[in-house]
Amino acid sequence: MRFLMCRPDYYNIEYEINPWMDVSKATKHQDAVNQWNILFKTLLSCGASIDLITPVKGYPDMVFTANAGLFYQNKMILPHFKFKERQGELPYYEKWFDQAGFQCWNKVDDHTPFFEGAGDALFAGEKLFVGFGFRSDQRFYEKAGYLDANKLIYCELIDPYYYHIDTCFCPLNDKLAIWYPSAFSPDSQTRMQKEIELIAVSENEAKRFACNAVVIDKHVVLPDDCPLISSLLEQRGFQVHACKMDEFIKAGGACKCLTLRLDYDE
Ligand code: ARG
């Protein structure tokens, strides 16, 4: 499995665009670097191959490459960031995709409904669970034209702390996922339960970003201090790797947000 990551050279809390962020709680730079490096090495040890995009000064959230796009049917779908603070990241991602040989499906302009990439769109087998309500706009999925409408599962997010679907839901394979149910509207909870078997994460571990996990076959890389979900995953035959992510949780992200899948193998 191939992923895109971005080193946290310029990562910090410079603005507040989600409830986790507090500009008075700056990141400890060396701790963030250490946590990122451990995540990077852990993913490599699980068999990942990792490409890197050069970080850009002035874009502290560029470290969260999950929002750089969505790899879909061998092409990239570009994001339209909701907040101007992140919109300037797009040209750098576009350039990187282009130079790496990826074709893109879409052009993004002011009229494009908001869409925050793989942060709001997660595959479970062929099904694509798409989040909306805070960052991505439901109309993006409806209007895109190239997304297979029969395979989209619409998931409405209702808790501002869980503003991207990857903060509260994580497919482990095509049949099983973990989630934090109360992050979703009652209708969406019912819809999701019909599509996939779901293991609930406790409120405490949801806050520790337990659902923000990277799955590589039977390996699950998730934030540390999530003992309950870790033992449930182990009972299901997964090998859990815990990584300290506190410096990134300050910005509302963790393991999964720091990666973008660049291939797809269903
Ligand atoms: N501070 C970033 C933002 O609010 C965090 C992004 C986390 N990414 C994710 N895929 N959940 O945009």
Side-chain angles (χ1 to χ4, degrees):
M1 278 184 204
R2 186 177 171 203
F3 296 90
L4 179 66
M5 293 180 72
C6 178
R7 292 190 187 281
D9 297 13
Y10 304 111
Y11 169 63
N12 203 348
I13 312 295
E14 292 178 7
Y15 46 75
E16 296 170 1
I17 59 169
N18 69 54
W20 302 92
M21 301 176 90
D22 177 347
V23 287
S24 70
K25 298 200 179 101
T27 56
K28 297 186 200 93
H29 183 70
Q30 197 50 49
D31 290 354
V33 170
N34 294 345
Q35 290 176 10
W36 188 96
N37 282 336
I38 290 171
L39 174 68
F40 180 77
K41 284 189 193 139
T42 305
L43 294 170
L44 291 176
S45 76
C46 294
S49 85
I50 302 177
D51 289 64
L52 293 172
I53 182 170
T54 310
V56 182
K57 196 166 191 298
Y59 294 106
D61 273 338
M62 203 171 157
V63 70
F64 297 112
T65 51
N67 304 113
L70 174 69
F71 187 77
Y72 184 81
Q73 293 178 352
N74 285 314
K75 292 190 201 171
M76 209 39 86
I77 304 179
L78 299 172
H80 183 193
F81 284 96
K82 177 154 187 177
F83 291 104
K84 64 174 183 341
E85 287 84 345
R86 295 201 66 185
Q87 286 172 353
E89 297 173 29
L90 180 61
Y92 298 99
Y93 296 134
E94 260 188 291
K95 192 168 164 210
W96 191 90
F97 293 140
D98 187 50
Q99 287 178 348
F102 290 89
Q103 277 185 289
C104 296
W105 279 101
N106 55 334
K107 287 252 174 291
V108 177
D109 61 30
D110 291 347
H111 304 289
T112 312
F114 295 121
F115 170 61
E116 297 207 348
D120 260 332
L122 297 173
F123 286 102
E126 294 218 305
K127 291 174 189 164
L128 185 60
F129 288 76
V130 291
F132 66 95
F134 292 104
R135 298 298 190 81
S136 302
D137 184 333
Q138 185 171 10
R139 286 175 310 149
F140 179 85
Y141 311 116
E142 293 163 353
K143 285 190 164 174
Y146 39 80
L147 292 170
D148 186 341
N150 297 320
K151 294 186 175 142
L152 294 183
I153 319 296
Y154 286 93
C155 307
E156 184 180 10
L157 299 163
I158 56 165
D159 179 337
Y161 280 90
Y162 302 97
Y163 56 93
H164 282 139
I165 194 172
D166 70 357
T167 63
C168 48
F169 173 70
C170 177
L172 301 159
N173 53 44
D174 58 344
K175 295 185 185 64
L176 184 64
I178 59 174
W179 72 332
Y180 180 52
S182 61
F184 297 94
S185 70
D187 277 0
S188 293
Q189 289 183 29
T190 309
R191 186 171 316 125
M192 292 166 81
Q193 279 164 326
K194 283 187 192 142
E195 297 295 340
I196 196 161
E197 183 189 348
L198 291 156
I199 305 176
V201 165
S202 69
E203 185 185 350
N204 268 340
E205 296 190 2
K207 282 190 199 148
R208 298 277 309 146
F209 273 69
C211 296
N212 203 249
V214 183
V215 182
I216 302 175
D217 306 318
K218 284 279 177 187
H219 298 281
V220 182
V221 181
L222 50 66
D224 69 341
D225 229 355
C226 296
L228 297 176
I229 193 65
S230 296
S231 77
L232 290 173
L233 289 170
E234 279 161 6
Q235 283 165 29
R236 295 292 194 116
F238 292 94
Q239 197 177 326
V240 175
H241 307 262
C243 289
K244 198 165 168 61
M245 282 283 116
D246 302 53
E247 288 304 320
F248 296 100
I249 291 174
K250 287 179 179 172
C255 311
K256 157 68 173 59
C257 303
L258 294 169
T259 67
L260 174 68
R261 265 305 280 280
L262 293 175
D263 57 9
Y264 194 62
D265 50 17
E266 290 309 318

